[in-house]
Amino acid sequence: MPRKNDLERKALQLVFEASSEGLLQSDMWKALGVTSREGSRLALKFEEKGAVERRKVLHNGRWTYKLFSQTKLVTLESIKGCPCIVCEDLDKCFEGGQISPLNCQPLSLWMVPSTAEEDA
Ligand code: SF4
């Protein structure tokens, strides 16, 4: 029997790999080799954490749930222009430090470009 964290990781991976098709909750617990009760518990836990969306679907004449991953892939495009990439203070920047991403203006402006443009 896989460890709890391994089981959760594997379950999330299965849902992620199902992409936009979604994964029947029953297919998840069957693939994991756990009971339907354990599979339902995992799916509910993932939903609570926002890791998956559970959608009620009619499958073979029965109501069940399909699971959709809420994990988004990080793409190079998504970090394009981030000031941290070329920042000279990157190695000294950390939460609670003298230099911190929590009070970095360049980072704030990059994260909310439309607001920055409106303020300019
Ligand atoms: S948060 Fe600001 S100071 Fe920190 S690494 Fe990024 S750009 Fe540099």
Side-chain angles (χ1 to χ4, degrees):
M1 180 100 176
R3 286 188 3 226
K4 189 176 164 194
N5 282 350
D6 292 341
L7 192 68
E8 291 184 6
R9 200 172 301 120
K10 192 174 174 192
L12 287 171
Q13 184 70 30
L14 287 168
V15 179
F16 180 74
E17 286 171 1
S19 64
S20 60
E21 293 290 312
L23 180 70
L24 286 171
Q25 191 167 288
S26 56
D27 287 345
M28 181 189 75
W29 59 259
K30 285 175 191 167
L32 294 173
V34 298
T35 63
S36 61
R37 183 177 170 160
E38 177 68 6
S40 297
R41 195 193 61 77
L42 278 174
L44 282 168
K45 183 176 177 180
F46 295 155
E47 185 182 45
E48 272 176 30
K49 289 184 171 183
V52 302
E53 179 191 344
R54 289 168 79 231
R55 283 187 216 152
K56 201 171 183 177
V57 294
L58 197 57
H59 179 72
N60 293 339
R62 297 185 66 180
W63 287 104
T64 184
Y65 286 97
K66 242 184 181 186
L67 309 174
F68 296 86
S69 177
Q70 299 300 294
T71 301
K72 305 281 185 276
L73 284 177
V74 175
T75 63
L76 280 179
E77 191 62 31
S78 70
I79 59 168
K80 186 178 169 187
C82 176
C84 304
I85 297 169
V86 294
C87 181
E88 292 176 2
D89 295 323
L90 180 62
D91 58 340
K92 295 175 239 148
C93 180
F94 57 92
E95 190 178 334
Q98 206 167 24
I99 301 171
S100 166
L102 298 179
N103 54 22
C104 175
Q105 191 178 17
L107 183 62
S108 298
L109 291 172
W110 175 75
M111 290 174 70
V112 200
S114 58
T115 304
E117 287 165 14
E118 288 169 14
D119 291 346

